[in-house]
Amino acid sequence: MIKYLFAKEKNIPGGTAAIFFSFSAIMWFIIGTGIGSFNAAKLAFPDWFTHSYALQFGHMRQVHVHAVIFGWIAGAFAASAMYVVPALGNTKLWSEKLGVWNCLLWNVGLALGLATLWFGMTSGREYSDFIWPIDIYIALCMVLPLFINIFMSIVTRRTQGIYTTNWFFAGSFFMLIIVFLIGNLPEFFHLTGLNEAYMTWWFAHNVLGLLITPVAAAITYYIVPKVTGNPLYSHRVGHLHFWSIVVFYSTPAAHHLMSSPLPEWLKSFASVEGVLILVPAVAYVCNILLTMQGKWAMFVENVEIKYTITGVLLAIPLNMQGGFQQTRAINWYVHGTGWIVAHAHLALLGFSTFAEAAAVYYGVQTLLRRKLYSLSLANFHFWMLLIGFSLYWVSMTIAGLIQGAGKIYEVPYMDIVIAEHPYMIVRWLGGTMVFLGNIVWLWNMYMTVKQGEKLAPGVQPQDVAYAR
Ligand code: HEM
């Protein structure tokens, strides 16, 4: 990387920044899920590892959440956008040099931020736990350079229209800047009480709704038509998806605080809007699944399609849960329980992660012009991720229902802890499978760089059979 930081733009090969972001994202996925597994072990075996101040659960939980969201998810987004946006515009990334610097500053900034959380420096606001100096660094050195590079790559494109994927990338990164600046205002203006709580969840909700969800969708709008060779089923439905996300997803933040003393009209409004999120969800899932017509064999045979379509299928329970769990009738039961933790992982470790993994698998091959080193290792990774995630989601959903019942029927706390204990162990096992699968993934990608079969000019990875 060092040699490219000070190289002339013309001497930096196309795709360099995307490759660096891909491998840094995989590294953070390993680090973040490893910390997740450590935290889960502390919840499954509470007497384990209690002597360390820095490794206490309160610190490590924040470190986990930010490592996986900023390092893996957002890092994989940056990697995907940096090769997909230029490819769709039939051009090169606006600046590989800016991209390489962006990647370096991204990793330095994240490591610094996590160190502050590790040592207890936090805003105390969930999902925006970083203290304000780190927030400013993220805005100026991580998000803004990425947005400029992507936006200028679209402006300098050599194609007529803008394909659905690039709408989503540009729109989401633009909205992220607004969400990030407004969402962190409470810290600058020392807001407290209900105002701070509402702004905290407005930020968390919109990071999920206006960045993670649309960008993961953007990736699938590229991978499925690109790898299957089928045209997207409907561009109009793609536009309906985009605008209905902006309208219905940006407004119902109050549904995270249904048990709080927010005005009842605001909670009713959020609840209705929350159900209307099903409009973009149904439009999206139908559009992608109908694009697969006649190519369903690839769901079994092709690595990228297997990951992508699994992610899309997980979006179905995700949005069904999301639509109904935030209504008053259900929320009072599941709020604050493991059900919500399960739901968060369905969104992040389920839907979003499978789409990003597909984009990284495809990106590394197309940019390096090398075929994937091993199909069996990729399948091993796939099943460790899917089985691990499923164990996580099912066990935490059941634990959540036990906690909800305990809360409602005023069961003594210790009885709830004893009843949910087996599920805490299953969650730890499931999450650890995800962590171990990621290590195998890194090896397979490293071997692809070293020994992957070279692709002839103009040949796509999906046109060549897997070597092993
Ligand atoms: C893409 C991967 C992942 C992402 C983005 C992610 C993200 C998150 C988020 C956002 C939360 C807070 C949930 C909430 O309070 O609603 C959380 C909590 C947690 N995660 Fe993950 N996670 C990932 C993978 C994992 C893995 C593999 C494990 C391993 C077991 C894990 C273990 C935990 C634990 C133990 C908590 C704390 C739950 C609690 O406080 O009860 N996560 N994670």
Side-chain angles (χ1 to χ4, degrees), residues 283-301:
Y284 164 62
V285 171
C286 294
N287 206 2
I288 294 290
L289 296 186
L290 288 168
T291 303
M292 282 292 295
Q293 279 173 56
K295 295 291 170 69
W296 279 101
M298 293 184 91
F299 181 36
V300 179
E301 295 155 3

PDB file of all heavy atoms in Angstrom, residues 283-301:
ATOM      1  N   ALA A 283     -41.110  -4.882  -2.907  1.00  0.00           N
ATOM      2  CA  ALA A 283     -40.677  -4.490  -4.265  1.00  0.00           C
ATOM      3  C   ALA A 283     -39.281  -5.043  -4.549  1.00  0.00           C
ATOM      4  O   ALA A 283     -39.034  -5.634  -5.608  1.00  0.00           O
ATOM      5  CB  ALA A 283     -40.665  -2.966  -4.372  1.00  0.00           C
ATOM      6  N   TYR A 284     -38.398  -4.909  -3.583  1.00  0.00           N
ATOM      7  CA  TYR A 284     -37.005  -5.334  -3.756  1.00  0.00           C
ATOM      8  C   TYR A 284     -36.892  -6.843  -3.917  1.00  0.00           C
ATOM      9  O   TYR A 284     -36.304  -7.338  -4.883  1.00  0.00           O
ATOM     10  CB  TYR A 284     -36.190  -4.866  -2.547  1.00  0.00           C
ATOM     11  CG  TYR A 284     -34.868  -5.527  -2.380  1.00  0.00           C
ATOM     12  CD1 TYR A 284     -33.899  -5.406  -3.350  1.00  0.00           C
ATOM     13  CD2 TYR A 284     -34.594  -6.288  -1.253  1.00  0.00           C
ATOM     14  CE1 TYR A 284     -32.678  -6.028  -3.212  1.00  0.00           C
ATOM     15  CE2 TYR A 284     -33.371  -6.915  -1.105  1.00  0.00           C
ATOM     16  CZ  TYR A 284     -32.421  -6.778  -2.090  1.00  0.00           C
ATOM     17  OH  TYR A 284     -31.215  -7.409  -1.952  1.00  0.00           O
ATOM     18  N   VAL A 285     -37.477  -7.577  -2.966  1.00  0.00           N
ATOM     19  CA  VAL A 285     -37.337  -9.041  -2.998  1.00  0.00           C
ATOM     20  C   VAL A 285     -37.930  -9.610  -4.288  1.00  0.00           C
ATOM     21  O   VAL A 285     -37.306 -10.424  -4.967  1.00  0.00           O
ATOM     22  CB  VAL A 285     -37.996  -9.671  -1.749  1.00  0.00           C
ATOM     23  CG1 VAL A 285     -38.061 -11.184  -1.878  1.00  0.00           C
ATOM     24  CG2 VAL A 285     -37.241  -9.277  -0.484  1.00  0.00           C
ATOM     25  N   CYS A 286     -39.113  -9.128  -4.687  1.00  0.00           N
ATOM     26  CA  CYS A 286     -39.733  -9.625  -5.928  1.00  0.00           C
ATOM     27  C   CYS A 286     -38.867  -9.304  -7.138  1.00  0.00           C
ATOM     28  O   CYS A 286     -38.643 -10.160  -8.001  1.00  0.00           O
ATOM     29  CB  CYS A 286     -41.118  -9.012  -6.104  1.00  0.00           C
ATOM     30  SG  CYS A 286     -42.270  -9.530  -4.846  1.00  0.00           S
ATOM     31  N   ASN A 287     -38.339  -8.088  -7.182  1.00  0.00           N
ATOM     32  CA  ASN A 287     -37.544  -7.653  -8.340  1.00  0.00           C
ATOM     33  C   ASN A 287     -36.316  -8.542  -8.524  1.00  0.00           C
ATOM     34  O   ASN A 287     -36.004  -8.981  -9.631  1.00  0.00           O
ATOM     35  CB  ASN A 287     -37.116  -6.197  -8.140  1.00  0.00           C
ATOM     36  CG  ASN A 287     -36.878  -5.482  -9.449  1.00  0.00           C
ATOM     37  OD1 ASN A 287     -37.065  -6.055 -10.524  1.00  0.00           O
ATOM     38  ND2 ASN A 287     -36.453  -4.231  -9.369  1.00  0.00           N
ATOM     39  N   ILE A 288     -35.637  -8.847  -7.413  1.00  0.00           N
ATOM     40  CA  ILE A 288     -34.426  -9.669  -7.519  1.00  0.00           C
ATOM     41  C   ILE A 288     -34.764 -11.128  -7.827  1.00  0.00           C
ATOM     42  O   ILE A 288     -34.161 -11.744  -8.709  1.00  0.00           O
ATOM     43  CB  ILE A 288     -33.598  -9.580  -6.216  1.00  0.00           C
ATOM     44  CG1 ILE A 288     -33.056  -8.171  -6.005  1.00  0.00           C
ATOM     45  CG2 ILE A 288     -32.453 -10.592  -6.232  1.00  0.00           C
ATOM     46  CD1 ILE A 288     -31.959  -7.761  -6.978  1.00  0.00           C
ATOM     47  N   LEU A 289     -35.775 -11.684  -7.134  1.00  0.00           N
ATOM     48  CA  LEU A 289     -36.089 -13.108  -7.354  1.00  0.00           C
ATOM     49  C   LEU A 289     -36.627 -13.334  -8.768  1.00  0.00           C
ATOM     50  O   LEU A 289     -36.311 -14.340  -9.404  1.00  0.00           O
ATOM     51  CB  LEU A 289     -37.079 -13.598  -6.295  1.00  0.00           C
ATOM     52  CG  LEU A 289     -36.579 -13.577  -4.845  1.00  0.00           C
ATOM     53  CD1 LEU A 289     -37.588 -14.213  -3.899  1.00  0.00           C
ATOM     54  CD2 LEU A 289     -35.221 -14.277  -4.707  1.00  0.00           C
ATOM     55  N   LEU A 290     -37.361 -12.361  -9.310  1.00  0.00           N
ATOM     56  CA  LEU A 290     -37.870 -12.499 -10.697  1.00  0.00           C
ATOM     57  C   LEU A 290     -36.734 -12.323 -11.709  1.00  0.00           C
ATOM     58  O   LEU A 290     -36.808 -12.832 -12.824  1.00  0.00           O
ATOM     59  CB  LEU A 290     -38.988 -11.493 -10.943  1.00  0.00           C
ATOM     60  CG  LEU A 290     -40.306 -11.815 -10.220  1.00  0.00           C
ATOM     61  CD1 LEU A 290     -41.271 -10.634 -10.280  1.00  0.00           C
ATOM     62  CD2 LEU A 290     -40.951 -13.065 -10.819  1.00  0.00           C
ATOM     63  N   THR A 291     -35.671 -11.659 -11.325  1.00  0.00           N
ATOM     64  CA  THR A 291     -34.506 -11.521 -12.217  1.00  0.00           C
ATOM     65  C   THR A 291     -33.769 -12.852 -12.354  1.00  0.00           C
ATOM     66  O   THR A 291     -33.022 -13.077 -13.300  1.00  0.00           O
ATOM     67  CB  THR A 291     -33.537 -10.448 -11.663  1.00  0.00           C
ATOM     68  OG1 THR A 291     -34.260  -9.226 -11.514  1.00  0.00           O
ATOM     69  CG2 THR A 291     -32.359 -10.204 -12.563  1.00  0.00           C
ATOM     70  N   MET A 292     -34.010 -13.770 -11.438  1.00  0.00           N
ATOM     71  CA  MET A 292     -33.327 -15.075 -11.461  1.00  0.00           C
ATOM     72  C   MET A 292     -33.978 -16.080 -12.418  1.00  0.00           C
ATOM     73  O   MET A 292     -33.484 -17.182 -12.597  1.00  0.00           O
ATOM     74  CB  MET A 292     -33.364 -15.682 -10.041  1.00  0.00           C
ATOM     75  CG  MET A 292     -32.366 -15.102  -9.082  1.00  0.00           C
ATOM     76  SD  MET A 292     -30.658 -15.520  -9.528  1.00  0.00           S
ATOM     77  CE  MET A 292     -30.660 -17.297  -9.304  1.00  0.00           C
ATOM     78  N   GLN A 293     -35.059 -15.685 -13.070  1.00  0.00           N
ATOM     79  CA  GLN A 293     -35.828 -16.633 -13.897  1.00  0.00           C
ATOM     80  C   GLN A 293     -34.911 -17.444 -14.827  1.00  0.00           C
ATOM     81  O   GLN A 293     -34.068 -16.876 -15.524  1.00  0.00           O
ATOM     82  CB  GLN A 293     -36.863 -15.869 -14.739  1.00  0.00           C
ATOM     83  CG  GLN A 293     -38.114 -15.533 -13.904  1.00  0.00           C
ATOM     84  CD  GLN A 293     -39.075 -14.630 -14.678  1.00  0.00           C
ATOM     85  OE1 GLN A 293     -39.493 -14.972 -15.771  1.00  0.00           O
ATOM     86  NE2 GLN A 293     -39.397 -13.487 -14.095  1.00  0.00           N
ATOM     87  N   GLY A 294     -35.074 -18.750 -14.760  1.00  0.00           N
ATOM     88  CA  GLY A 294     -34.324 -19.637 -15.662  1.00  0.00           C
ATOM     89  C   GLY A 294     -32.876 -19.853 -15.235  1.00  0.00           C
ATOM     90  O   GLY A 294     -32.141 -20.580 -15.896  1.00  0.00           O
ATOM     91  N   LYS A 295     -32.462 -19.212 -14.155  1.00  0.00           N
ATOM     92  CA  LYS A 295     -31.047 -19.351 -13.742  1.00  0.00           C
ATOM     93  C   LYS A 295     -30.926 -19.877 -12.313  1.00  0.00           C
ATOM     94  O   LYS A 295     -29.915 -19.666 -11.640  1.00  0.00           O
ATOM     95  CB  LYS A 295     -30.367 -17.970 -13.855  1.00  0.00           C
ATOM     96  CG  LYS A 295     -30.273 -17.435 -15.277  1.00  0.00           C
ATOM     97  CD  LYS A 295     -29.300 -18.238 -16.113  1.00  0.00           C
ATOM     98  CE  LYS A 295     -29.364 -17.887 -17.576  1.00  0.00           C
ATOM     99  NZ  LYS A 295     -28.856 -16.554 -17.909  1.00  0.00           N
ATOM    100  N   TRP A 296     -31.965 -20.544 -11.823  1.00  0.00           N
ATOM    101  CA  TRP A 296     -31.946 -20.967 -10.413  1.00  0.00           C
ATOM    102  C   TRP A 296     -30.882 -22.031 -10.120  1.00  0.00           C
ATOM    103  O   TRP A 296     -30.450 -22.190  -8.974  1.00  0.00           O
ATOM    104  CB  TRP A 296     -33.341 -21.430  -9.979  1.00  0.00           C
ATOM    105  CG  TRP A 296     -34.201 -20.247  -9.641  1.00  0.00           C
ATOM    106  CD1 TRP A 296     -35.159 -19.677 -10.430  1.00  0.00           C
ATOM    107  CD2 TRP A 296     -34.141 -19.450  -8.444  1.00  0.00           C
ATOM    108  NE1 TRP A 296     -35.707 -18.575  -9.795  1.00  0.00           N
ATOM    109  CE2 TRP A 296     -35.093 -18.431  -8.573  1.00  0.00           C
ATOM    110  CE3 TRP A 296     -33.364 -19.539  -7.275  1.00  0.00           C
ATOM    111  CZ2 TRP A 296     -35.301 -17.470  -7.575  1.00  0.00           C
ATOM    112  CZ3 TRP A 296     -33.565 -18.584  -6.278  1.00  0.00           C
ATOM    113  CH2 TRP A 296     -34.518 -17.568  -6.436  1.00  0.00           C
ATOM    114  N   ALA A 297     -30.415 -22.705 -11.141  1.00  0.00           N
ATOM    115  CA  ALA A 297     -29.341 -23.702 -10.911  1.00  0.00           C
ATOM    116  C   ALA A 297     -28.103 -23.007 -10.351  1.00  0.00           C
ATOM    117  O   ALA A 297     -27.343 -23.578  -9.554  1.00  0.00           O
ATOM    118  CB  ALA A 297     -29.000 -24.409 -12.228  1.00  0.00           C
ATOM    119  N   MET A 298     -27.933 -21.723 -10.725  1.00  0.00           N
ATOM    120  CA  MET A 298     -26.745 -20.999 -10.245  1.00  0.00           C
ATOM    121  C   MET A 298     -26.813 -20.762  -8.735  1.00  0.00           C
ATOM    122  O   MET A 298     -25.793 -20.550  -8.089  1.00  0.00           O
ATOM    123  CB  MET A 298     -26.608 -19.657 -10.971  1.00  0.00           C
ATOM    124  CG  MET A 298     -26.295 -19.794 -12.442  1.00  0.00           C
ATOM    125  SD  MET A 298     -26.023 -18.199 -13.233  1.00  0.00           S
ATOM    126  CE  MET A 298     -24.244 -18.023 -13.040  1.00  0.00           C
ATOM    127  N   PHE A 299     -28.029 -20.824  -8.152  1.00  0.00           N
ATOM    128  CA  PHE A 299     -28.174 -20.656  -6.703  1.00  0.00           C
ATOM    129  C   PHE A 299     -27.415 -21.757  -5.972  1.00  0.00           C
ATOM    130  O   PHE A 299     -26.927 -21.593  -4.856  1.00  0.00           O
ATOM    131  CB  PHE A 299     -29.657 -20.670  -6.333  1.00  0.00           C
ATOM    132  CG  PHE A 299     -29.949 -20.475  -4.861  1.00  0.00           C
ATOM    133  CD1 PHE A 299     -29.188 -19.623  -4.080  1.00  0.00           C
ATOM    134  CD2 PHE A 299     -31.012 -21.143  -4.246  1.00  0.00           C
ATOM    135  CE1 PHE A 299     -29.455 -19.431  -2.726  1.00  0.00           C
ATOM    136  CE2 PHE A 299     -31.297 -20.952  -2.898  1.00  0.00           C
ATOM    137  CZ  PHE A 299     -30.515 -20.101  -2.142  1.00  0.00           C
ATOM    138  N   VAL A 300     -27.271 -22.896  -6.629  1.00  0.00           N
ATOM    139  CA  VAL A 300     -26.546 -24.024  -6.017  1.00  0.00           C
ATOM    140  C   VAL A 300     -25.098 -24.046  -6.491  1.00  0.00           C
ATOM    141  O   VAL A 300     -24.178 -24.290  -5.723  1.00  0.00           O
ATOM    142  CB  VAL A 300     -27.245 -25.355  -6.387  1.00  0.00           C
ATOM    143  CG1 VAL A 300     -26.505 -26.542  -5.787  1.00  0.00           C
ATOM    144  CG2 VAL A 300     -28.706 -25.320  -5.932  1.00  0.00           C
ATOM    145  N   GLU A 301     -24.889 -23.720  -7.774  1.00  0.00           N
ATOM    146  CA  GLU A 301     -23.563 -23.945  -8.374  1.00  0.00           C
ATOM    147  C   GLU A 301     -22.621 -22.747  -8.280  1.00  0.00           C
ATOM    148  O   GLU A 301     -21.404 -22.923  -8.295  1.00  0.00           O
ATOM    149  CB  GLU A 301     -23.731 -24.312  -9.853  1.00  0.00           C
ATOM    150  CG  GLU A 301     -24.445 -25.642 -10.074  1.00  0.00           C
ATOM    151  CD  GLU A 301     -25.126 -25.707 -11.436  1.00  0.00           C
ATOM    152  OE1 GLU A 301     -24.967 -24.723 -12.213  1.00  0.00           O
ATOM    153  OE2 GLU A 301     -25.832 -26.686 -11.693  1.00  0.00           O
TER     154      GLU A 301
END
